[in-house]
Amino acid sequence: MHITYHPITLHKKVPLTISRGTRSQSTNLFIQLTDDNITGYGEATPFSIGDQTQTPETITHSLDQIIEGISLYHPLDRQIIEESLDQIAPCSAARAAIDVALWDWLGKKVGLPLWQLWGLDPQRIGPTAVTVGINTPEGACDRIRRWHADYPDLRSIKIKLGSPAGIEADQAMLSALQSEFHPHDKISVDANGGWTLDNAKTMATWLAERNITYLEQPLPVSANHQLAELKQHSPLPIFVDESCFTSQDIMPLAQHIDGINIKLMKSGGLTEAHRMIHTARACGLSVMFGCYSDSTLSNTALAQLSPLAHHLDLDSHLNLKDNPCCGATLELGRLMPNNQPGLGVTHLVT
């Protein structure tokens, strides 16, 4: 295999603020993997979750190790490639980029979109959420109006809470947004680990009274041991994100949560994402998909598996000024993959 990569800095139309800070741009690394005159594409997006920080420099180092370790193999040598990646132990974002490129290559090799290769039904894909970050009540209302203006058919909205100013600020922001919600909107809340246990209990009850669908990552990862107590007191389903990277994280949490958020950059690619879906379902958990500052490429990759997810939050590319490629498209609020082989991604900037 011939594997190359290059960085592209992507700029957000609207900076996104969560409990850990604000981000307005991201330098992502885009992978090209070629063999048999077929090229597969992948993307590695930097992210930071406490002590789990993957920078462009971290990803670059891992990609160099991967290229040295697997270039002699053919893209169909998936078993030995996976064993080699286990030995190299790259950062998860770099592994995700390679894994997605391998799947894109395979789909093109056999002439099928990945959703069809896996035997899935795209008509089962639900609406994808668009995100409203932490803001003043006025700023949050302005953001949701802009989302509705840009995408009139959207059906799902995720509200970021966990404000450093406290739950009073969270309540003020959500209360202001209530009048902006449309009757058909599915509303969820993500605190990004920004609450204490007591605050999470208070907010879970308060949010349930306002018809919120589910609550994502209410507690920091360091408070995983408090999830059991929170679940006993929460009228809302509890999903974890930062607390769950791969399938190995699911079993220890399964009795204390209701669902997991799968992201390509955390899981290390579609291979592990697929494994996580079935592990979660075997544990009786629901599944949602999420994203970081990903372009259309990565969100299109997860869209291929979206018929298997209960909730979707694949909106990061909708907030980019300079999206480098085309792929899945928003149709009636749903991010729908196309019928092209592999990922179905085109016009990748090189």
Side-chain angles (χ1 to χ4, degrees), residues 192 216-217 239-245 261 263 266 292:
N192 287 112
E216 184 183 344
Q217 197 67 40
F239 281 68
V240 290
D241 176 6
E242 289 89 339
S243 294
C244 184
F245 271 59
N261 184 348
K263 294 177 177 175
K266 289 190 306 173
Y292 290 116

Side-chain angles (χ1 to χ4, degrees), residues 258-271:
D258 300 284
I260 62 168
N261 184 348
I262 299 173
K263 294 177 177 175
L264 278 181
M265 300 305 141
K266 289 190 306 173
S267 68
L270 290 168
T271 301

Side-chain angles (χ1 to χ4, degrees), residues 269-292:
L270 290 168
T271 301
E272 179 62 17
H274 200 266
R275 190 178 292 128
M276 291 178 74
I277 292 167
H278 293 293
T279 302
R281 288 192 162 191
C283 293
L285 300 177
S286 295
V287 170
M288 70 171 292
F289 291 168
C291 55
Y292 290 116

Side-chain angles (χ1 to χ4, degrees), residues 36-340:
D36 297 344
N37 294 317
I38 298 170
T39 298
Y41 296 102
E43 175 183 15
T45 304
F47 66 93
S48 178
I49 302 175
D51 60 350
Q52 295 280 352
T53 297
Q54 298 187 19
T55 65
E57 294 74 23
T58 303
I59 296 168
T60 296
H61 177 69
S62 283
L63 288 173
D64 289 340
Q65 290 181 307
I66 291 172
I67 291 170
E68 182 179 354
I70 72 170
S71 291
L72 292 178
Y73 302 123
H74 188 273
L76 293 177
D77 296 328
R78 293 301 298 271
Q79 185 173 14
I80 193 168
I81 289 172
E82 184 159 5
E83 290 171 351
S84 297
L85 291 173
D86 287 342
Q87 292 177 355
I88 295 167
C91 68
S92 59
R95 183 164 186 160
I98 294 296
D99 183 80
V100 168
L102 286 165
W103 280 109
D104 188 30
W105 184 95
L106 180 61
K108 291 172 178 174
K109 178 73 171 179
V110 300
L112 294 173
L114 296 184
W115 60 263
Q116 191 169 32
L117 190 63
W118 290 319
L120 302 180
D121 178 7
Q123 295 310 310
R124 298 193 182 194
I125 295 175
T128 196
V130 295
T131 305
V132 176
I134 294 173
N135 209 323
T136 63
E138 297 78 13
C141 289
D142 180 70
R143 182 66 182 115
I144 203 169
R145 291 184 198 118
R146 182 167 172 176
W147 275 125
H148 279 300
D150 291 344
Y151 302 100
D153 293 327
L154 68 86
R155 296 289 185 272
S156 182
I157 301 168
K158 175 189 280 192
I159 310 300
K160 294 284 190 178
L161 298 182
S163 170
I167 60 172
E168 294 80 7
D170 288 335
Q171 291 175 345
M173 183 180 129
L174 191 82
S175 295
L177 286 170
Q178 295 279 143
S179 62
E180 301 295 335
F181 298 149
H182 292 179
H184 55 254
D185 288 342
K186 180 175 82 172
I187 311 299
S188 60
V189 162
D190 181 7
N192 287 112
W195 292 332
T196 64
L197 176 59
D198 286 343
N199 284 345
K201 290 179 182 178
T202 299
M203 289 299 293
T205 300
W206 188 86
L207 292 169
E209 293 169 351
R210 286 151 181 81
N211 299 316
I212 301 304
T213 308
Y214 62 89
L215 179 56
E216 184 183 344
Q217 197 67 40
L219 302 175
V221 176
S222 60
N224 279 351
H225 62 284
Q226 296 178 327
L227 285 167
E229 183 175 348
L230 177 59
K231 185 179 179 183
Q232 289 179 350
H233 290 84
S234 175
L236 290 178
I238 303 296
F239 281 68
V240 290
D241 176 6
E242 289 89 339
S243 294
C244 184
F245 271 59
T246 69
S247 54
Q248 294 182 5
D249 299 323
I250 296 173
M251 289 292 289
L253 296 169
Q255 291 184 322
H256 313 309
I257 59 174
D258 300 284
I260 62 168
N261 184 348
I262 299 173
K263 294 177 177 175
L264 278 181
M265 300 305 141
K266 289 190 306 173
S267 68
L270 290 168
T271 301
E272 179 62 17
H274 200 266
R275 190 178 292 128
M276 291 178 74
I277 292 167
H278 293 293
T279 302
R281 288 192 162 191
C283 293
L285 300 177
S286 295
V287 170
M288 70 171 292
F289 291 168
C291 55
Y292 290 116
S293 297
D294 302 330
S295 77
T296 293
L297 195 154
S298 291
N299 287 342
T300 295
L302 268 182
Q304 307 290 331
L305 283 173
S306 287
L308 297 174
H310 302 91
H311 306 287
L312 297 168
D313 175 26
L314 301 176
D315 67 327
S316 53
H317 65 291
L318 302 176
N319 189 33
L320 291 179
K321 294 179 183 178
D322 39 18
N323 195 9
C325 53
C326 301
T329 54
L330 203 64
E331 301 173 14
L332 298 177
R334 303 184 300 162
L335 189 64
M336 301 296 291
N338 56 43
N339 295 319
Q340 299 303 307

